[in-house]
Amino acid sequence: CMQLLEKRLSLDPAKRLTARDAFSDEWFWHCDPPPCDPKNLPCHGSSHEFTMKKRRNEEKERAHHHGGGGGGAGPPVGAPGVIVGG
């Protein structure tokens, strides 16, 4: 692993390993456990900052319209330890 990293980070571009060459390195293909199929990885929805900001704003609006918001009482929606939509 360290040899691969050293080759990728070489300061001399002529000696530097290309991404294609690095990806064909034995380290990527002979690991234990073997990599899983990406379809089997968990998906927890989008977590992009703009999506999360929109989601927080929608939660604040919902709380405000249902008589539960305003005035800044309590932690902000999405704050650590706050369960939203549970």
Side-chain angles (χ1 to χ4, degrees):
C1 176
M2 288 305 294
Q3 289 175 337
L4 175 63
L5 191 57
E6 287 173 1
K7 290 177 187 176
R8 263 314 270 151
L9 297 176
S10 174
L11 294 178
D12 182 355
K15 294 180 181 177
R16 191 176 309 139
L17 203 60
T18 65
R20 182 178 307 250
D21 290 338
F23 192 61
S24 63
D25 189 87
E26 183 177 311
W27 183 82
F28 283 103
W29 305 107
H30 298 288
C31 56
D32 190 34
C36 71
D37 186 344
K39 295 176 199 158
N40 296 331
L41 294 173
C43 180
H44 301 289
S46 175
S47 62
H48 189 271
E49 65 180 288
F50 297 122
T51 305
M52 296 306 291
K53 184 176 181 178
K54 180 180 176 186
R55 200 175 292 164
R56 280 193 305 271
N57 289 338
E58 289 171 352
E59 288 293 327
K60 286 180 187 177
E61 281 296 315
R62 242 181 263 136
H64 180 71
H65 288 305
H66 291 277
V77 174
V82 177
I83 298 174
V84 178

